[in-house]
């Protein structure tokens, strides 16, 4: 088979007839391939970052950078600044080859039908490894999901899949990345449902779970360092024990909002200083290196520091100080331009918050108490829910990495409390908040792009019947007999829109005076102040129809240029809008 240029086209599901009852099986196979790719991505990126830590900071094989109690030498505090130099170079070079910010999986699924750029994603993954590898206080999860999701998008596009199927494979890539990173398939699956696709349905369960399982097994087989948490004995919990954890969840949600606000304040602070954006990562690296002199536990994602805190009895003041330093290091890292996310940083900060609350309750001599280890887990889930989003994702994460089902009620209660607080008072997760700062209004990965793409340009009819202003009614009748059309667009001598003439009005006009032949259509013009432009959305067009009380409006080239390019009827607009809504419903329910 050849395409329009005469080249051999790549086989797709449509071109080879893979549809109907076999299509679901093909999607499952593609989901498994995406999951395997995600497992390889996580293994390769984590291996490369770990070896950067060994090379740059001199840690032992299998050790964790953030598990150190002090830097081997003060000169190592300059390593994050060196990473800032590399980040600056990558930013300068990337500006020569791209003109837009990279599209992440949430934005891709919400606005672009799941289409992502592999080149942009490779750049994000590389910058994330530089940032975390040189000690900036960010995690690799953003790089994992970006690259794995782009692989899913690319494979789906090459296979000729439909819009909803491309979005599904993007979700499979991200789900596989999280599942591989933590060895937690259920966590990865719900990450895909809640954060990347924006909805759960039976139709999505098969592909997402297949990808998550394939990725987790692949990463385990390749020897990836997957996160586990080892707990001591957790006391049995009663129904009333959930109340303190709900309060801890609210506290974690508030802390999550503070983290996101602080990142923005740091960014605005750098902007206020007018320091060139390419120089900011270097300064941010120097500041993070200074924090590392106080505690290396603030470096990188914090996996080793979390293990260290779980196994130690840190004093309350030390715990609070570590929380503040890690929070500051993460905000400086992201705010200065390092690439990465707050996924694991929010887990670590939440764990510190939970234990600090438990120690505070014990020191205050209150009539109730919280087990410090359990408080760490609940705080970890609640703060991560606020930053990342997805209460079920974080609940399953805690359950799978601990293997303790008894704590599920406390973790779920706190996660829901944090989620409700952040949604009602702030409205965004960290990912959607960053998009909001760029001018986007999306709050999840739900496919709003389908309706946004429904513009006046895509719906208008280009064949426009026109007449010159000043034409007599008699001449108009001769040109447009009754029944030939309903409406005619009137133009001035320069070809600009001046109004619409209803043919019925021209024939309803009584002409009985001696100068009847001289009566002009100008007296019949309607909707002179109401037009549409091609770039308007369906919602904006519907508002114009409501304001004008017209059944059809002219489409002009722009607000400043009233050259007529088409016509749009209200009936066609409403029909197309209903069709797109029905397609979205079919995507949610898995109908064909």
């Amino acid at each position: 088979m050849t395409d329009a240029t005469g080249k051999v086209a790549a086989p797709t599901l449509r071109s080879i007839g893979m549809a109907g009852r076999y299509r679901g099986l093909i999607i499952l196979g593609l989901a498994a391939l995406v999951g395997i790719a995600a497992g390889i991505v996580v293994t390769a990126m984590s291996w490369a970052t770990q070896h950067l830590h060994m090379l740059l900071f001199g840690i032992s094989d299998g050790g964790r950078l953030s598990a150190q109690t002090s830097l081997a030498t003060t000169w190592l505090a300059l390593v994050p600044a060196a990473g800032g130099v590399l980040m600056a170079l990558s930013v300068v070079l990337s500006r020569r080859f791209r003109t837009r910010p990279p599209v992440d999986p949430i934005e891709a699924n919400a606005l672009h039908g799941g289409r992502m750029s592999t080149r942009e994603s490779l750049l994000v993954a590389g910058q994330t490894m530089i940032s975390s590898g040189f000690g900036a206080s960010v995690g690799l999860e953003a790089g994992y999901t970006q690259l794995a999701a782009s692989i899913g998008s690319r494979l789906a596009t090459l296979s000729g899949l439909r819009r909803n199927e491309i979005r599904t494979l993007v979700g499979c890539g991200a789900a596989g990345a999280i599942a591989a990173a933590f060895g937690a398939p259920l966590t990865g699956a719900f990450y895909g449902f809640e954060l990347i696709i924006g909805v759960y349905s039976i139709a999505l369960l098969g592909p997402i779970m297949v990808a998550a399982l394939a990725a987790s097994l692949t990463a385990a087989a390749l020897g990836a360092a997957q996160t586990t948490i080892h707990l001591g004995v957790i006391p049995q919990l009663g129904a009333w024990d959930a109340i303190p954890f709900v309060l801890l969840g609210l506290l974690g949600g508030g802390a999550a909002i503070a983290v996101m606000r602080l990142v923005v304040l740091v960014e605005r602070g750098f902007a206020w200083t007018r320091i060139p954006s390419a120089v900011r990562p270097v300064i941010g690296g120097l500041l993070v290196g200074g924090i590392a002199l106080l505690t290396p536990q603030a470096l990188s994602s914090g996996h080793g520091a979390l293990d260290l805190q779980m196994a130690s009895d840190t004093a309350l003041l030390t715990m609070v100080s570590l929380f503040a330093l890690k929070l500051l290091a993460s905000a400086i890292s992201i705010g200065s331009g390092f690439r990465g996310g707050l996924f694991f940083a929010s887990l670590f900060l939440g764990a510190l918050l939970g234990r600090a609350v438990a120690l505070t309750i014990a020191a205050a001599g209150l009539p109730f108490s919280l087990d410090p280890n359990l408080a760490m887990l609940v705080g970890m889930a609640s703060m991560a829910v606020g930053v990342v989003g997805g209460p079920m994702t974080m609940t399953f994460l805690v359950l799978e990495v601990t293997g303790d089902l008894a704590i599920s009620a406390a973790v779920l209660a706190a996660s829901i409390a944090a989620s409700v607080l952040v949604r009602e008072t702030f409205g965004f997760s960290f990912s959607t908040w960053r998009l909001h700062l760029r001018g986007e209004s999306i709050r999840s990965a739900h496919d709003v792009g389908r309706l946004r793409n429904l513009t006046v340009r895509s719906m208008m009819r280009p064949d426009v019947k026109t007449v010159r202003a000043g034409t007599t009614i008699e001449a108009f009748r001769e040109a447009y007999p009754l029944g030939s059309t309903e409406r005619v667009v009137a133009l001035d001598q320069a070809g600009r829109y001046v109004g619409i003439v209803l043919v019925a009005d021209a024939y309803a006009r009584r002409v009985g005076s001696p100068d009847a032949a001289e009566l002009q259509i100008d007296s019949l013009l309607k909707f002179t102040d109401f037009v549409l432009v091609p770039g308007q959305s369906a919602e904006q067009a519907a508002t114009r129809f409501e304001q004008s009380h017209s059944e059809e409006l002219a489409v002009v080239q722009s607000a400043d240029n009233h050259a007529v390019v088409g016509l749009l009827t209200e009936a066609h607009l409403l029909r197309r809008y209903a069709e797109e809504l029905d397609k979205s419903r079919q995507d949610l329910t898995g109908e064909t």
Side-chain angles (χ1 to χ4, degrees):
M1 180 179 292
T2 59
D3 58 19
T5 63
K7 297 180 181 179
V8 177
T12 66
L13 292 187
R14 294 171 184 168
S15 65
I16 61 178
M18 291 295 184
R21 60 179 178 176
Y22 298 111
R23 192 178 189 92
L25 297 178
I26 299 296
I27 299 297
L28 287 179
L30 294 175
L33 291 177
V34 172
I36 293 171
I40 295 172
V41 164
V42 170
T43 303
M45 290 182 63
S46 60
W47 179 89
T49 305
Q50 176 67 13
H51 279 72
L52 276 176
H53 291 165
M54 294 166 57
L55 175 65
L56 299 172
F57 292 93
I59 65 173
S60 60
D61 189 9
R64 295 281 194 176
L65 174 60
S66 59
Q68 298 179 101
T69 55
S70 64
L71 295 178
T73 172
T74 55
W75 290 106
L76 293 178
L78 296 175
V79 172
V85 173
L86 292 180
M87 279 297 299
L89 291 174
S90 70
V91 169
V92 171
L93 291 175
S94 65
R95 286 176 179 171
R96 300 186 61 181
F97 300 102
R98 63 181 175 88
T99 58
R100 67 171 188 179
V103 174
D104 70 11
I106 294 177
E107 182 182 2
N109 268 2
L111 300 177
H112 306 296
R115 296 185 182 276
M116 300 175 66
S117 167
T118 305
R119 186 175 66 177
E120 289 177 358
S121 299
L122 285 170
L123 173 64
V124 170
Q127 290 178 332
T128 303
M129 286 190 290
I130 290 173
S131 300
S132 186
F134 279 75
S137 189
V138 294
L140 290 170
E141 289 79 16
Y144 294 156
T145 55
Q146 178 78 29
L147 187 52
S150 73
I151 293 173
S153 176
R154 183 65 174 167
L155 182 58
T157 303
L158 291 176
S159 301
L161 300 188
R162 306 182 184 110
R163 181 186 181 97
N164 65 308
E165 293 165 340
I166 297 174
R167 296 178 71 253
T168 298
L169 284 194
V170 168
C172 287
I178 296 300
F182 294 93
L186 288 175
T187 300
F190 275 89
Y191 183 90
F193 292 136
E194 293 184 302
L195 302 175
I196 307 302
I197 300 178
V199 68
Y200 168 83
S201 73
I202 297 298
L204 297 173
L205 181 61
I208 296 293
M209 282 303 307
V210 164
L213 287 168
S216 183
L217 293 173
T218 300
L222 294 176
Q226 296 174 314
T227 300
T228 56
I229 298 176
H230 303 286
L231 292 177
V233 178
I234 297 297
Q236 187 174 1
L237 301 176
W240 291 102
D241 294 324
I243 296 178
F245 293 117
V246 169
L247 298 177
L248 180 55
L250 294 174
L251 187 59
I257 296 173
V259 170
M260 292 184 279
R261 291 285 191 188
L262 182 59
V263 171
V264 176
L265 287 176
V266 172
E267 288 181 335
R268 290 176 177 172
F270 274 108
W272 177 78
T273 61
R274 298 184 182 277
I275 298 172
S277 57
V279 181
R280 294 172 191 175
V282 182
I283 298 175
L286 290 172
L287 295 175
V288 171
I291 294 174
L293 290 175
L294 299 175
T295 173
Q297 293 184 47
L299 293 175
S300 195
S301 58
H303 289 80
L306 180 59
D307 291 339
L308 191 64
Q309 292 302 321
M310 278 288 183
S312 64
D313 295 322
T314 308
L316 176 59
L317 182 59
T318 304
M319 188 76 63
V320 173
S321 300
L322 180 57
F323 178 89
L325 292 173
K326 178 62 178 178
L327 175 61
L328 185 60
S330 295
I332 290 174
S333 296
I334 295 178
S336 63
F338 281 101
R339 180 74 69 177
L342 290 176
F343 191 110
F344 201 89
S346 64
L347 294 174
F348 181 39
L349 287 168
L352 295 176
L353 177 66
R355 172 160 280 191
V357 169
L359 294 178
T360 301
I361 292 175
L366 297 179
F368 63 92
S369 62
L370 294 178
D371 179 81
N373 284 340
L374 182 54
M376 288 183 76
L377 294 174
V378 173
M380 181 172 68
S382 61
M383 190 163 179
V385 165
V387 173
V388 180
M392 293 303 298
T393 300
M394 295 307 161
T395 300
F396 276 113
L397 175 61
V398 172
L399 295 181
E400 288 188 288
V401 299
T402 62
D404 193 331
L405 187 61
I407 64 176
S408 58
V411 173
L412 184 58
S415 297
I416 292 174
S419 177
V420 171
L421 176 67
V422 174
R423 185 177 67 249
E424 295 299 325
T425 62
F426 190 67
F428 299 92
S429 67
F430 183 66
S431 297
T432 55
W433 172 240
R434 307 287 287 174
L435 295 174
H436 172 72
L437 295 176
R438 280 170 33 194
E440 289 291 349
S441 60
I442 63 173
R443 295 175 183 265
S444 73
H446 187 70
D447 191 8
V448 299
R450 183 190 292 276
L451 294 178
R452 284 197 184 184
N453 292 336
L454 191 62
T455 61
V456 170
R457 179 181 288 105
S458 66
M459 296 182 290
M460 70 181 187
R461 189 177 72 245
D463 54 321
V464 183
K465 298 184 182 300
T466 62
V467 65
R468 290 290 179 182
T471 301
T472 64
I473 295 179
E474 183 177 342
F476 180 85
R477 288 174 169 178
E478 292 178 359
Y480 296 102
L482 191 64
S484 61
T485 186
E486 293 184 10
R487 299 168 184 83
V488 180
V489 175
L491 307 176
D492 63 13
Q493 298 306 313
R496 296 185 297 265
Y497 173 83
V498 294
I500 291 179
V501 180
L502 301 181
V503 174
D505 288 350
Y507 280 86
R509 188 67 175 262
R510 293 185 178 182
V511 184
S513 59
D515 57 346
E518 301 302 321
L519 289 177
Q520 299 177 349
I521 62 170
D522 296 38
S523 61
L524 305 178
L525 295 180
K526 294 180 179 293
F527 318 119
T528 57
D529 297 326
F530 294 96
V531 292
L532 301 172
V533 294
Q536 286 180 318
S537 66
E539 183 179 1
Q540 293 170 324
T543 301
R544 294 298 283 172
F545 277 113
E546 184 178 358
Q547 292 171 343
S548 65
H549 302 288
S550 171
E551 296 179 359
E552 188 169 20
L553 288 176
V555 183
V556 299
Q557 194 164 11
S558 68
D560 299 323
N561 183 353
H562 276 205
V564 177
V565 295
L567 281 172
L568 179 62
T569 65
E570 185 179 26
H572 183 65
L573 165 68
L574 296 178
R575 183 169 63 252
R576 289 285 293 112
Y577 194 84
E579 289 173 355
E580 293 302 321
L581 286 178
D582 188 57
K583 290 179 182 178
S584 296
R585 179 191 60 79
Q586 291 177 356
D587 290 349
L588 295 179
T589 58
E591 298 178 22
T592 302

